[in-house]
Amino acid sequence: MQVEVWSDVVCPWCYIGKRRLEAALEEFPHRDQVEVVWRSFQLDPSVPEGETHPTLPALARKYGTSVEQMQANMAHVEQVAAGEGLEYHLADAVSGNTLLAHELLHLAAEHGKRNELKERLLHAYFEEGRPVFDVDSLVPHAVEVGLDEAEVREALTDRRYLAAVRQEGATAQALGATGVPFFVVDRKYGAAGAQPAELLRQLLERAWADANPLITVPAADGCDGDNCAV
């Protein structure tokens, strides 16, 4: 069974959703037969590449609210994240274009390191306050999970995976995604947002049951409730 997750590396609910999916898988008896594939989705592709800006005032302007109200909203998200074992510092965050980060994740996938790099980038951005927007900031994270620095720089410089990232974004839109995280199981079942772990587990169970229907054989001798004649 395959679970595809469209998300961005600067989406606070995406990291929360990742933790909740992991919790759901822990309770899913067939977890060893589940493949989780992280797909690319940019929250704001309009940000010019190479530019960064403080997140707090930018979000306040975007949603037409005060900086104080946005800071309160961020504090709420931080509390939710803490419930999943994550330590956020959202008011101090810096935003930028995440296209290169997604391209790097495609390179990592070719080396079987996509899951490790996804976790590393999320942790770096949300819990360490480190940037993930340019080649020089991405290289240390890539090397840490076992990728070759020279190959990373070459792949990001020649934009080897740009088309692949854009294709995944187009696929998400075709599947009906309007935001992230967006979970899709076997391209049949979807769930939008950082759903509770219990709901994600139920989604997995339903998809598993549909893919593995019960096979019955003709009835034989047996017991029916309290009636068990010998």
Side-chain angles (χ1 to χ4, degrees):
M1 190 163 70
Q2 186 182 75
V3 179
E4 297 170 279
V5 189
W6 275 264
S7 65
D8 203 349
V9 296
V10 296
C11 163
W13 290 105
C14 291
Y15 204 4
I16 293 169
K18 184 176 187 292
R19 284 292 183 267
R20 290 177 175 178
L21 175 61
E22 291 164 352
L25 287 169
E26 281 295 317
E27 299 296 324
F28 185 58
H30 310 289
R31 57 185 175 274
D32 293 339
Q33 298 180 59
V34 177
E35 177 192 23
V36 178
V37 180
W38 298 98
R39 301 294 191 193
S40 300
F41 189 103
Q42 284 190 276
L43 282 176
D44 190 359
S46 68
V47 177
E49 290 189 61
E51 294 185 11
T52 59
H53 57 265
T55 302
L56 176 57
L59 284 181
R61 287 193 300 270
K62 179 179 179 179
Y63 292 104
T65 187
S66 66
V67 170
E68 292 75 18
Q69 181 58 53
M70 183 55 61
Q71 198 162 13
N73 295 344
M74 287 179 165
H76 168 70
V77 178
E78 289 174 346
Q79 290 177 350
V80 176
E84 304 298 334
L86 301 171
E87 184 179 348
Y88 282 6
H89 307 281
L90 298 180
D92 300 324
V94 173
S95 296
N97 191 297
T98 58
L99 190 55
L100 282 174
H102 289 295
E103 292 179 45
L104 180 58
L105 285 164
H106 278 268
L107 173 62
E110 290 195 354
H111 293 276
K113 298 286 187 178
R114 191 167 189 166
N115 288 352
E116 292 90 338
L117 183 62
K118 182 72 172 184
E119 175 66 27
R120 186 69 197 100
L121 293 178
L122 288 166
H123 179 77
Y125 182 74
F126 285 107
E127 300 197 274
E128 297 176 352
R130 296 170 63 183
V132 292
F133 307 113
D134 58 72
V135 175
D136 287 337
S137 65
L138 289 168
V139 163
H141 307 312
V143 171
E144 187 173 324
V145 301
L147 299 181
D148 178 73
E149 179 176 347
E151 184 181 14
V152 168
R153 290 187 179 277
E154 180 182 355
L156 295 183
T157 299
D158 65 22
R159 311 310 295 265
R160 189 181 308 170
Y161 301 98
L162 177 59
V165 171
R166 289 177 171 166
Q167 179 59 50
E168 286 192 352
T171 300
Q173 292 181 345
L175 291 172
T178 57
V180 286
F182 184 59
F183 303 89
V184 177
V185 183
D186 287 342
R187 292 289 173 101
K188 293 181 179 179
Y189 305 96
Q195 300 288 347
E198 177 62 19
L199 188 149
L200 292 174
R201 184 182 62 80
Q202 293 173 7
L203 186 68
L204 295 173
E205 290 176 347
R206 178 179 178 184
W208 181 268
D210 286 352
N212 299 273
L214 179 66
I215 299 175
T216 60
V217 297
D221 292 338
C223 297
D224 179 14
D226 294 330
N227 180 15
C228 193
V230 179

